[in-house]
Amino acid sequence: MVAALCSFVLSFSNLLSSAVQAGFDPLLAWCWPICIDALFISGSPIVFRGNSPGSSPAFGGEPDHLHRNQYRL
């Protein structure tokens, strides 16, 4: 947990300074690191789910029609 917190703080600091250097308004520059880190946090479960054994790499699993053979004689 400590490593994750340190990682977040360092990421936030770096992205904040990058946003200010890129010309973002300093009062709104904090939004950039929040958006990027929130994207990483919200996407992490999808990545971990895709790497687990027996899971489908497709987002939300495969559609039902892919499991049936519609052209069976």
Side-chain angles (χ1 to χ4, degrees), residues 18-69:
S18 297
V20 171
Q21 288 178 359
F24 282 72
D25 180 9
L27 293 175
L28 299 176
W30 62 270
C31 293
W32 177 246
I34 293 293
C35 290
I36 297 298
D37 287 340
L39 177 66
F40 287 145
I41 291 169
S42 65
S44 296
I46 294 171
V47 171
F48 290 134
R49 181 186 167 275
N51 290 335
S52 64
S55 67
S56 171
F59 179 75
E62 295 178 354
D64 288 337
H65 71 274
L66 294 178
H67 296 290
R68 294 182 300 223
N69 185 355

Side-chain angles (χ1 to χ4, degrees), residues 2-15:
V2 173
L5 182 62
C6 290
S7 172
F8 177 77
V9 169
L10 291 172
S11 173
F12 184 88
S13 173
N14 189 20
L15 289 170

